[in-house]
Amino acid sequence: MKNIMILSLMLVLIGSMYALESAPSEVVGFVKYGCVSTTGTNLNLVALPLETGYTMASDLGNAIGADVVNVWDAAGQGWLSASNLGFMWVDDFALQDGYTYLVNILADTDVYIVGSLIIQLGYNLITTTGTNLNLIMCPMNRSDLTMASELGNDIGVCDVVNKWDAAGQGWLSASNLGFMWVDDFAVDIADPLMVNVTSDTVWPSGEGDNKVSQKPAKVRK
């Protein structure tokens, strides 16, 4: 579950509650991700659609009460994990604005991502010799995309859009059969999503000269 508000005045008043590096005048809103624990694993997807001041996976984990923060390695088609051992984090890595992370939380919580709007960059979506999965966030400036099929068609080379079901600890998938999409579902801005592409592309196109890399940043030891 996710709520989005762009209320500068309110957040100026409560800005001191959050460890933001930006000045209160730059704070423009927040995004709320409702994270849940289950009887099995406790994995939830959260994105960074706003400038939070968090620079490392450990910063995010400590702020939201997660003991593991995972980043998707599209080139290797697998997760890389930063883990909290209680007295230190191991395999810590740098965060990227606009990117999505799979976190293991310790208790049900509402995760607030608070800060100013980021400059949306294009996602460098790649194919591999195996699967072709890439993790994205529905951009904050794409409120026109209301369904998974619309997002997939906008990417152009996407045949599957996956959304994480935290309650069921698994993926919900909308698939393009060529002539129609099946199991379509609603999407919203700031939604974390996993897409499968059939060829390399940058999406959204024309979103600045830089790209959100699908290759994890170098681990800081």
Side-chain angles (χ1 to χ4, degrees), residues 40-114:
T41 52
N42 307 306
L43 297 170
N44 295 260
L45 280 178
V46 299
L48 298 180
L50 304 171
E51 293 182 351
T52 62
Y54 306 140
T55 59
M56 302 297 293
S58 55
D59 297 332
L60 177 62
N62 289 335
I64 68 176
D67 60 354
V68 180
V69 178
N70 303 282
V71 61
W72 181 251
D73 173 18
Q77 291 292 286
W79 298 99
L80 301 180
S81 302
S83 303
N84 187 354
L85 301 184
F87 59 95
M88 66 176 290
W89 282 80
V90 296
D91 298 325
D92 208 3
F93 55 81
L95 302 175
Q96 298 183 70
D97 286 340
Y99 205 67
T100 292
Y101 299 92
L102 184 68
V103 299
N104 192 77
I105 63 162
L106 302 177
D108 292 0
T109 187
D110 287 331
V111 171
Y112 289 89
I113 303 299
V114 184

